[in-house]
Amino acid sequence: MPINRINPTKRWSDVTLYNGIAHFVEVPECEPLGDIRSQVAAVMAQAEQKLAMIDADRSRLLSVTIYLTDFANAAVLNEIWDAWFPDGCAPSRVCVKAELADPDYLVEMAFVAAAGQM
């Protein structure tokens, strides 16, 4: 099986696909970065775009690793998360407290999804 990389650069690819499974990571790409609510919303909107690139949607997510800089933001994250998924479609997930590469980032998420029929 070939590995397909979408928009590869020297440091990363936007999406990496192998055997029908897609991997991608999102950090908030919004200006200004704002609070946890705006950053989580930005990450999820960006994830929607990446899922569309692989002919998928949020119901095809298999797992998400969430990196939070402060667990005090978990309640807001969970509120947005719960509203984002259709009933019965939430993927496996883990939430880790971490220091992120950009000190202005409050959240980062690594997604694994089943790609559609590309």
Side-chain angles (χ1 to χ4, degrees), residues 3-117:
I3 297 171
N4 183 13
R5 292 176 174 86
I6 299 174
N7 299 325
T9 68
K10 190 165 186 83
R11 191 159 292 161
W12 66 74
S13 297
D14 283 348
V15 180
T16 304
L17 289 137
Y18 179 74
N19 201 22
I21 304 297
H23 300 261
F24 60 96
V25 176
E26 296 297 334
V27 298
E29 296 175 355
C30 53
E31 284 296 326
L33 280 174
D35 63 5
I36 188 65
R37 187 172 298 280
S38 62
Q39 288 194 26
V40 170
V43 165
M44 290 181 158
Q46 293 160 212
E48 293 263 6
Q49 293 171 348
K50 294 285 175 35
L51 289 164
M53 292 171 77
I54 60 165
D55 190 31
D57 59 36
R58 62 186 96 158
S59 71
R60 296 186 58 83
L61 285 168
L62 302 173
S63 68
V64 181
T65 301
I66 303 164
Y67 303 93
L68 280 178
T69 59
D70 186 345
F71 281 145
N73 291 325
V76 172
L77 166 77
N78 287 334
E79 173 191 329
I80 297 167
W81 177 274
D82 292 348
W84 196 59
F85 285 100
D87 286 344
C89 290
S92 300
R93 82 173 213 184
V94 63
C95 191
V96 179
K97 184 177 178 186
E99 181 178 351
L100 302 179
D102 184 326
D104 292 329
Y105 291 158
L106 303 175
V107 64
E108 183 171 337
M109 295 186 198
F111 296 86
V112 179
Q117 302 298 316

